[in-house]
Amino acid sequence: MMLRPLACRARTPLLLVGAALAVVGCRREERRFRESPPATTPSAVRVSALQPGTMADTSHMPNPYESSAYAQSEGQRLFGWYNCAGCHANGGGGMGPPLMDDEWIYGSSPENIYNTIIQGRPNGMPSFAGKIPSPQIWQLVTYVRSLSGLTPMSGRSARTEHMNFYQGAQSMQGAQTPKNSFRPPASEFP
Amino acid sequence: MSVAREQVECLHHSLIILLCLAARGYAFRDDARNGRFRALIFTHPMTLRMSYERRFRVPFRFLLLVTLAACTREDVASRAREPAAPALPASGTPRATVTLDAEDGQWTRAAKSLSGIRYSQLAQITADNVRNLRPVWTFSTSVLRGHEEAPLVVNNTMYILTPYPNLLYALDLTKGDSAPTKWMYNPKPQSEAQGVACCDVVNRGPVFANGSIIFNTLDNHVIAVDAATGAEKWNTKVGEINNGETMTMSPLVVKNMVLVGNSGGEMGVRGWLKALDLGSGSVRWTAYSTGPDSEVLIGARFKPHYPKDRGKDLGVSTWTGAQWKIGGGTVWGWISYDPTLNLVYYGTANPGPWNPDQRPGDNKWTSSIFARDPDTGEAVWAYQMSPHDLHDYDGVNENLLIDVPWKGQTRHVLIHPDRNGYVYMMDRATGEVLSAEPFVHITTTHGVDLANGMLRYEPSKHGRVGEVVRDICPASPGGKDWQPSSFSPRTGLVYLPHQNLCQDSEGLEANYIAGTPYVGMNVVMTAGPGGNRGELTAWDPAAGRAAWKLTEDLPVWSGTLATAGDVVFYGTMDGWFKAVDARTGAKLWQYKTGSGIIGQPMTYRGPDGKQYVAIMSGVGGWAGAIVAGNLDPRDSTAALGMVAAMKDLPSKTTKGGTLYVFALP
């Protein structure tokens, strides 16, 4: 008898939490069959943080897929298909620099990476302008940022489908420790 | 792993399986009507309720016999090819030799001689006094990438060509140990070329001829500059970075022609060798490695020794469709020349993509050796070492032209230590393989059939798309990569610097996008048997086996130098420059340089009459990419899988290019 009101009181926040989780979960798993992300190149993106005088506001263009697990796994697939992996390997680099570390030559923001892919860079990054549709570039941006742990944990895929090329665990969720530091054992990861 | 140990392990595993089966009740069910075995079934003893007439237990003793037989089967014993144990040649036995040019105390091309043997007749520095060797001067190149080049010395001037941006320095040796810079030539290659260089932005050195220093730039220019003034004489662009082409090899000058080849076997490039006029730089002929005979320059004079290499337009018919146009076979290695036969010899690189499923056929003429007439470019013979190559076994390694006593005769041979793990000894007039013996642990093949020239593949190492194949030995860089060997006619031995690596790989579908990688393989490398990643092997070509062998922790990615003082020089990737006894391999001297060594040692006589030894220090290349390119060791597939085997290199060396020159006090 005494328990019922208590249970009723507790039910409301539980419902709210549940609804919130459901919304987050839906966003994570959202698949878009008609893509309508920003199709234009992010403008006014600065590659340098050094500006004469006071820092002006930079217009940030958020990645529409930042927390989408679907976009990230699509990005991973495209990363292989467009031969990004041929130079950057599975994030560790080769002909091109590594992408899983915390060093960003041309900026780590989504719009910086978008522009790097579109424009190319003078030390060897080819320009893919006109070669990759804009939605796919945003998916690539999502995956590239996930390699160094810059995307929300909820959007990252649990494991890769291929050979186990990261030491310890097959999961890519731990790929967020700073460059060249030794990874702790897999059990220490959440 | 030894054969005996493998058998013991096999028996052990099989007996465990047998015991398990016996415990579970392993039965054959007999078809009562026709008396044949129909099915093999597992049945738990508790569920066996059928009549005993209709089934019988296979006697345990029978299974035991089968197991014993299986574990001693020949294919288990021959799963891997092992090199023969090193043995010094008996004194008095005839040894390999070579006809030497007169010693001029200079070093005018990367391998010193046209025969490609890297042997100097200078003998002031000997096995007895080399322990007194000390550095006398050094020179910083201002470049941080891998320094694979050989310095040249001509007319008391030293020429150094750096990796990208391919700076060419001329240092004046007549001013003593200060060696001031006479001039510097900067070709200003396109910086974008760095993005299509597969394995660091290296260069393997210039060549001197006709008063010019001639070299290749990463962005596909062949340039001749005046050796005295540094003024550009001619500059010819021969390749296109937007198709994935780069140039890293050291040219060879033969009969007023500059022979050059392209790099880019990982980028869907079509390989070629070009001859440029020494005076003008204009292209005289181009010999492609794939395509129709008219473009491979195969004509009436083409007489390969083996039937497998004969036929019309094999450069097209051994491919599917137009794949030969992006099929690799680049020419980024070494060229040698025999003036008597008037033939140049060089190897072609791997077929592209690495994933073999995407290119059915033998893929000619990738992973092959060509002998060509330099006057016309015509092929005289060709031999494909690795038909339908599965593991990136390029055929570009050096060909040493020497004379070897063989079955009572002296044969004029070429010695070719191939990436597939065998030292090929071939008659250089005909292309006949006289012997092909392993110098490293090999699991991918079972040897070369000398009757038909075929490489016998191990079928279990042929990976398919999405399939992981383990324990592939040697790994993709091969038993030995580009790092050139030397030969001493005083010992009759060839000094092979090489690695000891194995790998696991997984085929992926490769997409051809011009100017981007065309590989289709995830690779993870590890150290081979023994755990050491490098070796220096003194190879006795007359016996077809090693005379002695030194192990090194890291891959020996530097060239070797042999001298008449019976000393062999080489460097290690953690920066030690070493001298060992050419006869025994005894360690005589070492000096720690500033960075890992992947260059080519050379020696010269200075204006003061003293013998000097020089080496470039500066880690990089494929093996050193983890340091030169700041790669992330957590990804084992980085640098095409090399990083997995070299994770500790950043703790052993740092980058930076410096020339070191040594002399006796």
Side-chain angles (χ1 to χ4, degrees):
Chain A
M1 290 295 277
M2 289 295 287
L3 285 175
R4 190 174 290 165
L6 189 66
C8 282
R9 276 202 300 276
R11 204 171 287 153
T12 319
L14 270 176
L15 271 172
L16 282 174
V17 168
L21 278 175
V23 168
V24 169
C26 288
R27 278 199 69 82
R28 181 187 186 276
E29 295 300 328
E30 190 176 8
R31 283 151 171 76
R32 304 178 198 208
F33 298 104
R34 273 176 207 279
E35 293 295 348
S36 54
T40 51
T41 304
S43 56
V45 175
R46 296 164 203 263
V47 173
S48 172
L50 180 64
Q51 298 164 26
T54 324
M55 273 277 274
D57 268 351
T58 50
S59 60
H60 276 289
M61 175 170 279
N63 178 359
Y65 300 139
E66 189 79 358
S67 56
S68 164
Y70 173 68
Q72 195 235 272
S73 74
E74 281 295 283
Q76 181 174 8
R77 190 169 60 82
L78 297 170
F79 192 78
W81 282 19
Y82 285 119
N83 294 346
C84 313
C87 289
H88 300 286
N90 292 287
M95 295 181 223
L99 302 174
M100 61 195 286
D101 64 12
D102 56 358
E103 257 182 66
W104 291 91
I105 306 171
Y106 305 113
S108 66
S109 72
E111 61 268 30
N112 281 147
I113 298 170
Y114 184 99
N115 274 354
T116 298
I117 296 171
I118 283 282
Q119 297 169 344
R121 293 291 177 238
N123 285 312
M125 174 73 192
S127 159
F128 284 89
K131 311 276 183 196
I132 308 180
S134 170
Q136 293 189 343
I137 295 180
W138 285 116
Q139 289 171 341
L140 283 165
V141 168
T142 311
Y143 174 66
V144 167
R145 281 170 55 82
S146 79
L147 284 169
S148 52
L150 294 178
T151 53
M153 187 71 93
S154 61
R156 268 177 256 158
S157 63
R159 57 170 59 211
T160 74
E161 289 172 10
H162 297 293
M163 214 154 70
N164 180 14
F165 31 72
Y166 302 121
Q167 232 177 0
Q170 234 186 3
S171 166
M172 300 184 52
Q173 299 196 350
Q176 53 186 330
T177 46
K179 176 178 179 128
N180 289 351
S181 61
F182 286 100
R183 271 167 62 98
S187 59
E188 291 181 27
F189 281 93
Chain B
M1 193 187 295
S2 72
V3 170
R5 213 179 115 200
E6 277 194 10
Q7 285 179 359
V8 168
E9 282 198 4
C10 174
L11 275 175
H12 183 238
H13 295 157
S14 308
L15 283 173
I16 289 173
I17 293 168
L18 270 183
L19 287 171
C20 297
L21 290 178
R24 289 199 55 175
Y26 187 55
F28 284 109
R29 199 166 77 173
D30 185 20
D31 184 321
R33 257 163 281 178
N34 58 22
R36 281 191 306 124
F37 291 146
R38 204 168 58 181
L40 189 62
I41 55 164
F42 281 93
T43 320
H44 195 274
M46 295 301 287
T47 65
L48 282 177
R49 289 293 179 266
M50 62 186 108
S51 67
Y52 199 74
E53 296 80 37
R54 294 196 58 189
R55 71 175 174 86
F56 64 93
R57 276 169 189 276
V58 174
F60 188 77
R61 271 175 301 176
F62 170 72
L63 279 179
L64 191 64
L65 278 173
V66 169
T67 306
L68 281 169
C71 290
T72 50
R73 253 170 47 202
E74 197 191 3
D75 66 344
V76 173
S78 65
R79 202 177 292 150
R81 280 292 303 252
E82 300 295 346
L88 287 173
S91 59
T93 51
R95 62 170 184 264
T97 181
V98 73
T99 310
L100 297 165
D101 305 327
E103 178 61 60
D104 59 3
Q106 304 197 114
W107 201 273
T108 61
R109 53 180 83 85
K112 183 169 169 78
S113 65
L114 290 166
S115 56
I117 61 168
R118 296 166 186 272
Y119 173 77
S120 167
Q121 294 166 66
L122 299 182
Q124 282 179 14
I125 298 167
T126 66
D128 291 328
N129 64 23
V130 69
R131 65 179 185 281
N132 299 321
L133 211 58
R134 59 189 175 80
V136 286
W137 57 275
T138 60
F139 176 80
S140 169
T141 65
S142 81
V143 178
L144 299 179
R145 303 302 292 244
H147 285 58
E148 287 188 349
E149 67 274 17
L152 300 186
V153 168
V154 190
N155 298 329
N156 293 326
T157 307
M158 180 179 281
Y159 299 93
I160 296 166
L161 178 66
T162 71
Y164 171 88
N166 304 127
L167 308 174
L168 178 65
Y169 294 97
L171 308 178
D172 187 350
L173 300 179
T174 61
K175 305 280 166 56
D177 293 346
S178 69
T181 304
K182 271 174 142 172
W183 51 258
M184 191 269 277
Y185 175 83
N186 183 353
K188 302 191 179 72
Q190 272 182 280
S191 59
E192 291 84 352
Q194 295 171 88
V196 278
C198 91
C199 312
D200 200 2
V201 293
V202 298
N203 190 295
R204 301 190 180 86
V207 65
F208 171 84
N210 194 26
S212 300
I213 299 288
I214 302 138
F215 64 101
N216 298 321
T217 63
L218 194 66
D219 64 344
N220 308 300
H221 289 256
V222 188
I223 301 175
V225 301
D226 189 303
T229 65
E232 186 177 298
K233 286 184 168 177
W234 50 260
N235 180 334
T236 307
K237 190 184 176 213
V238 291
E240 176 55 57
I241 59 168
N242 285 341
N243 293 336
E245 281 178 307
T246 51
M247 288 174 84
T248 59
M249 55 88 75
S250 183
L252 189 75
V253 175
V254 170
K255 299 176 102 175
N256 287 324
M257 274 178 289
V258 184
L259 302 178
V260 295
N262 58 355
S263 305
E266 281 61 52
M267 316 291 290
V269 160
R270 183 184 178 199
W272 45 253
L273 177 76
K274 282 180 197 287
L276 276 61
D277 186 88
L278 178 60
S280 68
S282 59
V283 177
R284 286 223 212 145
W285 51 259
T286 302
Y288 285 97
S289 305
T290 64
D293 286 353
S294 58
E295 294 179 13
V296 185
L297 303 191
I298 285 177
R301 286 178 66 192
F302 187 60
K303 301 267 185 303
H305 186 78
Y306 297 101
K308 76 180 181 76
D309 295 317
R310 294 180 202 146
K312 191 172 158 40
D313 291 330
L314 293 178
V316 172
S317 62
T318 58
W319 296 86
T320 303
Q323 283 185 319
W324 55 268
K325 292 181 179 172
I326 52 170
T330 50
V331 184
W332 59 272
W334 302 103
I335 309 173
S336 359
Y337 175 61
D338 180 340
T340 312
L341 292 168
N342 191 32
L343 290 177
V344 292
Y345 303 93
Y346 68 96
T348 60
N350 60 293
W354 284 16
N355 172 7
D357 282 359
Q358 280 179 257
R359 44 173 173 82
D362 274 357
N363 310 136
K364 283 187 164 59
W365 298 88
T366 62
S367 301
S368 307
I369 292 179
F370 272 110
R372 292 187 187 275
D373 180 333
D375 294 318
T376 59
E378 269 177 295
V380 171
W381 59 260
Y383 172 76
Q384 193 176 32
M385 279 82 67
S386 303
H388 189 63
D389 163 55
L390 304 176
H391 310 293
D392 185 36
Y393 293 158
D394 301 49
V396 299
N397 289 357
E398 68 283 6
N399 297 300
L400 293 87
L401 311 184
I402 61 174
D403 302 325
V404 174
W406 185 252
K407 297 184 176 165
Q409 280 181 291
T410 298
R411 302 291 295 259
H412 304 298
V413 304
L414 68 80
I415 300 289
H416 173 80
D418 196 72
R419 273 169 67 158
N420 68 16
Y422 300 93
V423 178
Y424 287 78
M425 183 163 81
M426 301 171 75
D427 185 315
R428 64 179 183 257
T430 64
E432 178 190 4
V433 180
L434 303 177
S435 75
E437 295 296 327
F439 64 99
V440 287
H441 170 76
I442 300 174
T443 63
T444 51
T445 57
H446 299 291
V448 178
D449 188 334
L450 297 183
N452 57 19
M454 292 298 286
L455 183 62
R456 290 196 297 264
Y457 281 101
E458 163 57 42
S460 69
K461 301 300 179 193
H462 187 158
R464 307 284 170 189
V465 170
E467 191 179 292
V468 178
V469 180
R470 304 203 184 272
D471 196 31
I472 293 167
C473 309
S476 289
K480 179 184 162 302
D481 203 289
W482 72 279
Q483 61 271 44
S485 353
S486 56
F487 169 76
S488 167
R490 287 173 55 88
T491 60
L493 301 177
V494 180
Y495 302 96
L496 309 174
H498 62 101
Q499 54 273 6
N500 173 38
L501 298 173
C502 297
Q503 74 186 23
D504 299 344
S505 74
E506 176 196 27
L508 307 166
E509 196 172 318
N511 241 347
Y512 178 75
I513 304 173
T516 69
Y518 189 47
V519 174
M521 196 81 86
N522 265 334
V523 173
V524 174
M525 296 183 205
T526 55
N532 57 298
R533 290 162 283 184
E535 281 173 358
L536 177 71
T537 297
W539 187 261
D540 180 355
R545 69 191 299 166
W548 49 261
K549 212 178 242 282
L550 296 177
T551 58
E552 287 285 351
D553 175 28
L554 297 162
V556 183
W557 208 259
S558 84
T560 64
L561 162 70
T563 72
D566 289 340
V567 185
V568 172
F569 292 93
Y570 72 103
T572 63
M573 290 189 70
D574 51 358
W576 289 101
F577 188 48
K578 298 188 175 184
V580 299
D581 189 308
R583 296 186 185 280
T584 62
K587 293 172 190 173
L588 302 174
W589 169 86
Q590 62 178 8
Y591 178 84
K592 184 80 151 71
T593 65
S595 176
I597 295 174
I598 59 166
Q600 304 161 44
M602 54 80 76
T603 185
Y604 64 95
R605 187 166 47 224
D608 55 359
K610 279 175 78 170
Q611 183 185 356
Y612 292 85
V613 178
I615 183 73
M616 299 301 310
S617 163
V619 82
W622 190 1
I626 183 170
V627 174
N630 295 329
L631 305 187
D632 198 313
R634 290 170 298 169
D635 175 5
S636 298
T637 60
L640 298 165
M642 181 62 94
V643 159
M646 305 299 293
K647 284 184 199 299
D648 57 338
L649 193 63
S651 66
K652 296 190 166 158
T653 192
T654 50
K655 52 188 166 182
T658 309
L659 167 84
Y660 286 79
V661 180
F662 301 87
L664 292 171

